[in-house]
Amino acid sequence: MCDICVMDAVKERMLSRRDFFRTTAMAGAAAAVGGAATAPAAMADGHGSVVDMTHVYDDTFPTYFGTPGITAEQAFNFKEHGFNLFNLAINEHTGTHVDAPLHFSADGQSIDEIPVENLVVPLCVIDIAAKAQDDADAQVTPDDLKAWMSANGDIPDRACVAMHSGWAGKTGGDGYRNVGSDEKMHFPGFHVEAAQMLLENTGAVALAVDTLSLDHGPSGDFVTHYAWLPTNRYGIENLRGLDQVPAAGATLVVGANTHKGGTGGPCRIFAMV
């Protein structure tokens, strides 16, 4: 069958489906008016709003290595073909993304193996924005964790512990990678001692940062990555919106991708508050 014939057949089927759904919707509305049934809740109890924690990214979005993390080639366009379709080439660790345990271990969970129950989790926000404003190399330390627990109680099981450094607003320029005269990047991250404290004393399953790396910028040994990921816990990098959620009480939903054997991948993340 020719391409035009296929497209015409698809369009006719779409129109017939629209007529079906329109008729069904009208019948449903009539039934609702005449009956006493109550519509189900549109959102889970206990949450009143949703905050998008995901950066929109393209080939200009900052990456750890400074090279474009995504390329997009349009294979079909609406004018000529009746639909749009892009072929993408993506670095797994681009934009707002997950670091799977496999990223820094020989045999840890790949991104498709992260248990789904670890992807809908309590969110704990450790705010170090004030000290990061004065020190680009600031880190979340055990003292920061203790201060959070003093104010908010114990870190819940299966929590994501996220660093809010205020760095998310810098993505539009060179300040996000922040390469200094020493040719090293300078941005905040988690100190390995904070990661070890969480490993030893809590049931947290994820670390998250609003920067390019779980380790702070000048790190050359990725010590926090190596402490955290091989325990089959995961990381999130380039998160945004941490200034729009409370220190405790929000639920984080991590829409991790599931390409088999992946070491990570861009994903859509949001918080229910």
Side-chain angles (χ1 to χ4, degrees), residues 9-33:
V10 170
K11 290 177 180 178
E12 288 177 7
R13 181 171 298 179
M14 290 173 64
L15 288 172
S16 64
R17 283 168 59 87
R18 288 174 186 167
D19 290 340
F20 169 77
F21 286 123
R22 186 180 298 113
T23 302
T24 303
M26 291 173 65
V33 170

Side-chain angles (χ1 to χ4, degrees), residues 84-95:
N84 293 308
L85 185 149
F86 290 84
N87 290 323
L88 305 180
I90 304 175
N91 180 312
E92 290 177 310
H93 300 271
T94 296

Side-chain angles (χ1 to χ4, degrees), residues 49-55 123 125 127 164 168-169 210 239-248 250 271-273:
S49 63
V50 178
V51 178
D52 194 347
M53 313 294 284
T54 315
H55 284 287
L123 177 61
V125 180
D127 189 344
H164 168 45
D210 54 359
L239 207 58
R240 76 174 182 92
L242 287 165
D243 58 341
Q244 300 175 44
V245 296
M272 297 189 295
V273 180

Side-chain angles (χ1 to χ4, degrees), residues 164-178:
H164 168 45
S165 71
W167 221 251
K170 298 178 182 287
T171 56
D174 294 336
Y176 196 65
R177 297 184 75 244
N178 198 30

Side-chain angles (χ1 to χ4, degrees), residues 29 85 149 204 221 266:
L85 185 149
M149 289 186 283
D221 54 12

Side-chain angles (χ1 to χ4, degrees), residues 4-5 8 13 40 42 49-50 68 84 107 159 175 179 198 216 223 251 257:
I4 297 299
C5 296
D8 287 343
R13 181 171 298 179
S49 63
V50 178
N84 293 308
D107 56 1
V179 178
L198 292 170
H216 73 326
V223 63
T251 297
N257 58 317

